[in-house]
Amino acid sequence: MQEEIFGPLLPIVTVEKIEDGFQVIRSKPKPLAAYLFTNNKELQEQFVQSVSAGGISINDTVLHVTVKDLPFGGVGESGIGAYHGKFSYETFSHKKGVLYRSFSGDADLRYPPYTQKKKMVLKALLSSNIFAAIWAFFGFSQDSS
């Protein structure tokens, strides 16, 4: 049980309490899928809340892969992204932010060369001191009165 299992193997780990089993799962890299077989609703909810996995199935193993409205994919070392229907589209799409602006109203202050006056104005603006920025714009430092 040192690597992810892709085969007809079922490791069995004996624990004193079911919660200890949850801790065993959490102590390893996040699995692609996790399964719990029980009719105990409280235990089902506890499992879903405390185990992080790509997908979880209660009282079944492979069926969750066939449901197109459920995402299927890994988390952490077991993979990135989710697949099926809209989830595949979102996984393989890149949302690209684009900003358009004109040069109108652009301030020379933003661009080099950075003179002593520009540095004073920028420093005042970055300190959120509007009065110091106005003083600096007119060539005065706030210290010189």
Side-chain angles (χ1 to χ4, degrees):
M1 289 184 39
Q2 299 301 313
E3 295 181 23
E4 198 166 10
I5 299 170
F6 289 102
L9 239 43
L10 178 64
I12 297 175
V13 178
T14 305
V15 292
E16 293 291 322
K17 299 181 298 192
I18 192 71
E19 292 80 9
D20 295 341
F22 297 173
Q23 182 56 39
V24 169
I25 295 168
R26 287 193 305 264
S27 73
K28 308 276 184 207
K30 296 178 182 184
L32 180 59
Y35 313 110
L36 178 70
F37 293 86
T38 182
N39 287 324
N40 182 322
K41 299 289 185 198
E42 189 175 299
L43 186 58
Q44 291 174 5
E45 186 62 29
Q46 186 181 0
F47 185 75
V48 169
Q49 294 300 317
S50 65
V51 171
S52 180
I56 292 180
S57 287
I58 307 295
N59 299 326
D60 199 274
T61 55
V62 185
L63 192 59
H64 75 283
V65 176
T66 67
V67 180
K68 72 174 181 66
D69 294 329
L70 286 178
F72 177 76
V75 59
E77 291 182 26
S78 67
I80 297 172
Y83 314 98
H84 286 162
K86 72 173 185 145
F87 302 104
S88 296
Y89 178 79
E90 291 172 357
T91 293
F92 294 109
S93 296
H94 172 71
K95 293 177 178 80
K96 176 172 47 178
V98 178
L99 170 76
Y100 289 95
R101 67 179 298 272
S102 73
F103 290 116
S104 299
D106 206 3
D108 179 54
L109 186 64
R110 293 180 58 192
Y111 305 102
Y114 295 106
T115 63
Q116 191 59 35
K117 180 179 174 183
K118 281 185 180 181
K119 288 179 186 177
M120 284 185 349
V121 173
L122 287 170
K123 184 177 178 183
L125 287 172
L126 290 172
S127 71
S128 299
N129 186 338
I130 190 67
F131 296 114
I134 293 169
W135 273 96
F137 181 76
F138 289 109
F140 303 103
S141 83
Q142 195 172 23
D143 297 331
S144 64
S145 302

